[in-house]
Amino acid sequence: LDIEAIIDRPECIADFDKLMKCASDGSDHRSCCAQKDVPRKCLNWCRGEAVTTGAAACAIQYTKTIVGCFQENQNRLPGPPQNVILEKILGEEVIVSWEPPMKNPSSVEGYRVYWHSADYNHINQNENISSLQQYNGLGTSRLDARETSITISGLQHNVHYELVVKAGNNYG
C-alpha cells in the first residue's frame, strides 16, 4: 500500500476509517501507537475504529506511524476470539466460551471479557448512571481468563447485556 499517495488526497479522508479498519487486521495496536506518541484523538485508528474528530490532521501527521505499528505487530498480536457462546446456568449466571483467534492463536497470553447492561433505562432508574456515562465505559465489568471460558455471575433478570471478548498479550 502506497500510504503517501492516500495521505495527499483529501478526497480519501472520507473513507480513511474503512482503510484503517482493514489495515488493523482485527488487532488492537493502541499500545504500540501510544508508545510512538500517536495522540489520544487518533488512537481509534490503531484498533481499526473511526476517528471522530480531527481525522484530516490524524491522517496527515500520524498515518505512517500507525501503519508502521500495523506492520510491526502483524505477527505478534492475536486477532479476535471466534465463536463466542453464552450458556445460561441459573437466572444470574452464564458461562461464556469461545475459540482462540484465527490470527496468531499461539501468541495469546490471556483473554479479557467485558460486559455491561444494554438496558439504559434500567441503568438510569436504578443506578443513576447516564447513558452517556454507560457509553463511555462506566458501569462496565471485566474478567481476565487464561482459558477459553469463564462464568459470569451477579447478572440481573430481564436485563439485556452487551459482552466483548478480547485476546491479548504483552504487545496489546
Side-chain angles (χ1 to χ4, degrees), residues 7 16 24 36 58-60 62 67 69 86 95 106 108 111-112 120 123 143-144 151 160:
I7 294 170
F16 225 73
S24 71
K36 296 187 184 219
C58 289
I60 292 167
Y62 298 101
V67 170
C69 283
L86 298 173
I95 294 175
S106 62
V108 175
Y111 297 93
R112 183 162 284 166
Y120 299 118
I123 292 169
L143 279 174
D144 291 338
T151 300
H160 293 312

Side-chain angles (χ1 to χ4, degrees), residues 85-98:
I85 297 171
L86 298 173
E87 179 185 341
K88 189 174 181 178
I89 303 173
L90 300 169
E92 62 190 41
E93 285 187 331
V94 294
I95 294 175
V96 183
S97 60
W98 57 89

